[in-house]
Amino acid sequence: METNDNQIIIFDTTLRDGEQAPGCSMTLEEKLMVARQLERLRVDVIEAGFPIASPGDFESVREIGRTVAEPIVAGLARCVDRDIDRAAEAVADARNPRIHVFLATSKIHREHKLQMSRADVIGRAVEGVERAAQCVRDVEFSPEDAARTEPDFLRDVVEAVIEAGATTVNIPDTVGYAIPEQFSELIAMLKADVGNIDQAVISVHCHDDLGMAVANSLAALKAGARQVECAVNGLGERAGNCSLEEIVMAIRTRPDYFELTTGVDTHEIMSTSRLVANVTGVRVPPNKAIVGRNAFAHEAGVHQDGILKKKSTYEIMRPEDIGLEHGRLVLGKHSGRHAFRERLNELGIVLTPEQLDHAFAQFKTLADKKKQIYDEDIETLVRDEMEDVPAVFSLTDFHVTSGSSVTPTATVTIEVADDGVKTDAAIGDGPIDAVYRAINRITGLPCDLRDFEIRAITEGKDALGEVRIEVVSHDFIERGRAARTDIIEAGALAYLAAVNRLCQRVKREENRNVKDEL
Ligand code: KIV
Ligand code: ZN
């Protein structure tokens, strides 16, 4: 990778740390779609997963390594031989492979989690880096919980792992505890006091528990860090990671202050954000910086007046710089298959020829009902095609009776894979509750509904209604979504989508090799 001293290396961890967040698990197909889009966004490093964690994680890292050409593909590993060997195997086919090894260094982790002395930790870290360096040239080391590690010990660890062959040393604020000024001082101290620091790139990886992940990362860059780890839409463990779009746009918008650049094609930010929201089912809050629906909406009259006179009165970034073109009418009833496929490509969505045929037929049906078709409509239409979760339960039929003077009752018929067609009925507090209870009787899977959301995809009476839900079962959180003109049908399909994901998840967890403690 060619960069100059002021070009920041953008390390995207949406597919690893982001995917670790509850309800964010992605299928292999979804991960590949996101990886291709990250390449189009021109991130420098894609952390594709934690290969030892499960056969599925291994497969994803390997396939991503085979799919993308330009970015470095990193696989995560603990400082344990079998983790490192598995990560090496997973990235072996990548054009630019990296192994990212980590070990906790803070006192609290050493004493309570690892039960290791300072010397043991340094020894294990050095062994891990040396082993990784025998497999690949590009080795990153992370002292987990670095922000709470005693600075003198952190300095010794960093020096030792660089000596052992680490080419990047990442300083994680694992629990989101840091404060910008303090974090910047920590990076400055490492730059000043680690004798061999010029032989490695300093990276930072900040979590957002106190809402300061982006601020801490920026402070670290200002102090000399040259790689930043981040995730699209700020996904990640608990409150998430440093948001990719925020850090990139902060650097781009304030060159006067940071005097830094990135290689990111910012025009791809909006498509990437939407794709990640679609595949994970995690909606972007309307007021989220850069990619929220309201991020460029000016409501107050005085603001609108200013904007009309001169945009820069209230706009510090142009919507088109992140690929946002308001109210863009994308396709209509006369659009052909080629235009449809082109638009999907621009949205980062790649379908197989069969999926494309089906999605195009649905698009034509919708175009007959709806004059104006926007990106959101297209994304909604094809999302079901992208779902490659095996359908253990498929809705065949449903019937609902409801009203102000009758008890809501639902009869549901479901095809169960390898078990034929089953029908059952239930009453509930409302028609959707009755449908869900009837479904539960058939699936036999206890599910608690945690969240239920209905929205119209676009404006107008002809709009598709989308239901998104979140369910919990066996300590797993899963999401489901479906869009139909009939809200109750959309609700039933969304519920079954979540149940099918749960079935896949339970199966996957049975195959899981480690209970990770990141
Ligand atoms: O938050 C963290 O410390 C991590 C490391 C594996 C880098 O995710
Ligand atoms: Zn993390």
Side-chain angles (χ1 to χ4, degrees):
M1 185 192 354
E2 289 205 6
T3 58
N4 61 46
D5 280 354
N6 293 332
Q7 178 157 334
I8 299 303
I9 300 165
I10 300 293
F11 176 116
D12 179 89
T13 188
T14 312
L15 295 169
R16 199 279 296 167
D17 210 318
E19 213 236 355
Q20 267 170 232
C24 286
S25 58
M26 297 174 228
T27 64
L28 175 60
E29 271 312 308
E30 291 169 340
K31 286 184 187 174
L32 286 171
M33 222 178 285
V34 172
R36 283 190 213 103
Q37 179 58 28
L38 289 172
E39 182 165 33
R40 218 170 286 147
L41 181 66
R42 299 226 292 265
V43 303
D44 302 292
V45 187
I46 297 177
E47 186 165 48
F50 187 15
I52 194 73
S54 72
D57 278 39
F58 174 84
E59 180 81 357
S60 312
V61 177
R62 193 173 55 180
E63 287 311 311
I64 290 170
R66 289 172 177 171
T67 302
V68 301
E70 291 302 320
I72 293 170
V73 174
L76 184 68
R78 293 169 298 184
C79 284
V80 172
D81 289 355
R82 65 189 178 98
D83 277 39
I84 297 166
D85 297 348
R86 194 75 174 139
E89 209 187 323
V91 298
D93 294 342
R95 193 155 119 189
N96 301 305
R98 174 179 292 187
I99 298 179
H100 176 189
V101 284
F102 73 98
L103 180 65
T105 49
S106 64
K107 189 164 189 284
I108 190 162
H109 281 235
R110 287 193 319 265
E111 288 178 359
H112 299 280
K113 187 176 90 171
L114 302 173
Q115 276 123 20
M116 285 167 80
S117 66
R118 282 186 174 200
D120 292 341
V121 166
I122 293 201
R124 174 81 73 82
V126 164
E127 276 168 27
V129 168
E130 282 174 352
R131 191 170 185 100
Q134 282 160 14
C135 309
V136 289
R137 276 191 305 182
D138 187 347
V139 177
E140 172 167 333
F141 175 79
S142 287
E144 190 191 3
D145 204 16
R148 289 194 300 170
T149 299
E150 306 92 312
D152 65 322
F153 180 54
L154 185 65
R155 185 197 55 214
D156 294 348
V157 173
V158 169
E159 195 157 284
V161 294
I162 295 176
E163 178 68 30
T167 45
T168 299
V169 181
N170 180 42
I171 306 301
D173 180 20
T174 304
V175 290
Y177 182 76
I179 304 291
E181 212 173 7
Q182 231 178 11
F183 200 55
S184 137
E185 281 165 14
L186 184 67
I187 302 300
M189 178 281 284
L190 292 174
K191 260 186 89 77
D193 295 353
V194 173
N196 52 7
I197 199 70
D198 54 336
Q199 291 167 37
V201 172
I202 305 180
S203 166
V204 285
H205 173 114
C206 297
H207 279 269
D208 207 30
D209 299 66
L210 292 173
M212 287 187 278
V214 175
N216 285 329
S217 305
L218 286 169
L221 298 181
K222 188 82 180 152
R226 283 295 172 267
Q227 172 177 286
V228 65
E229 303 199 353
C230 48
V232 176
N233 298 340
L235 290 186
E237 282 273 343
R238 307 179 309 279
N241 280 93
C242 168
S243 139
L244 180 146
E245 56 281 3
E246 291 178 29
I247 196 104
V248 166
M249 289 311 285
I251 292 171
R252 187 180 201 271
T253 308
R254 295 299 308 270
D256 57 317
Y257 181 74
F258 292 110
E259 298 177 329
L260 298 171
T261 58
T262 74
V264 166
D265 177 358
T266 62
H267 299 98
E268 293 291 336
I269 284 182
M270 210 51 220
S271 302
T272 315
S273 163
R274 290 227 295 253
L275 180 67
V276 169
N278 280 329
V279 299
T280 58
V282 180
R283 291 270 297 279
V284 174
N287 60 335
K288 162 90 173 60
I290 318 293
V291 291
R293 199 179 56 229
N294 296 344
F296 290 90
H298 299 276
E299 194 65 34
V302 66
H303 289 200
Q304 288 176 350
D305 180 54
I307 284 275
L308 288 173
K309 288 179 177 143
K310 187 160 176 67
K311 284 202 167 144
S312 58
T313 51
Y314 287 99
E315 238 171 41
I316 57 166
M317 297 165 276
R318 296 179 313 165
E320 51 271 34
D321 292 342
I322 59 156
L324 185 70
E325 286 163 66
H326 274 303
R328 182 135 91 100
L329 175 64
V330 284
L331 296 172
K333 132 181 185 169
H334 301 294
S335 308
R337 193 186 149 89
H338 181 71
F340 182 65
R341 196 185 48 213
E342 282 295 297
R343 190 61 202 139
L344 288 180
N345 284 344
E346 282 164 26
L347 293 170
I349 299 168
V350 182
L351 298 180
T352 63
E354 299 78 48
Q355 288 172 329
L356 185 67
D357 284 347
H358 191 242
F360 185 61
Q362 285 191 306
F363 161 72
K364 281 290 185 188
T365 312
L366 185 66
D368 273 341
K369 292 191 198 147
K370 204 169 180 297
K371 278 203 204 104
Q372 301 182 315
I373 300 200
Y374 296 93
D375 284 349
E376 286 96 328
D377 293 311
I378 294 183
E379 285 167 345
T380 306
L381 271 184
V382 300
R383 223 172 295 147
D384 292 344
E385 305 296 331
M386 286 150 55
E387 180 93 36
D388 64 350
V389 176
V392 181
F393 303 103
S394 319
L395 184 71
T396 307
D397 195 22
F398 75 100
H399 176 88
V400 176
T401 321
S402 183
S404 52
S405 56
V406 290
T407 305
T409 310
T411 308
V412 173
T413 303
I414 287 176
E415 186 169 343
V416 185
D418 304 327
D419 205 14
V421 174
K422 306 203 171 202
T423 299
D424 215 321
I427 56 170
D429 289 340
I432 293 204
D433 186 44
V435 168
Y436 287 3
R437 285 172 192 267
I439 292 177
N440 284 349
R441 288 171 69 92
I442 295 174
T443 63
L445 199 72
C447 278
D448 285 333
L449 190 63
R450 252 178 54 139
D451 206 4
F452 182 96
E453 201 186 314
I454 302 182
R455 67 168 189 136
I457 299 294
T458 45
E459 287 148 29
K461 278 194 278 180
D462 55 1
L464 285 170
E466 183 186 50
V467 174
R468 284 176 183 249
I469 60 156
E470 202 171 274
V471 295
V472 189
S473 181
H474 294 102
D475 287 342
F476 297 134
I477 300 170
E478 272 303 348
R479 292 165 197 272
R481 59 145 300 279
R484 288 290 180 277
T485 39
D486 180 329
I487 288 298
I488 297 180
E489 187 183 358
L493 290 168
Y495 194 71
L496 284 174
V499 169
N500 284 330
R501 276 181 171 257
L502 273 173
C503 294
Q504 191 192 46
R505 181 83 178 274
V506 170
K507 218 168 169 185
R508 216 188 317 155
E509 289 299 317
E510 282 166 5
N511 291 330
R512 219 171 162 82
N513 295 332
V514 288
K515 291 259 167 284
D516 55 69
E517 294 157 355
L518 298 185

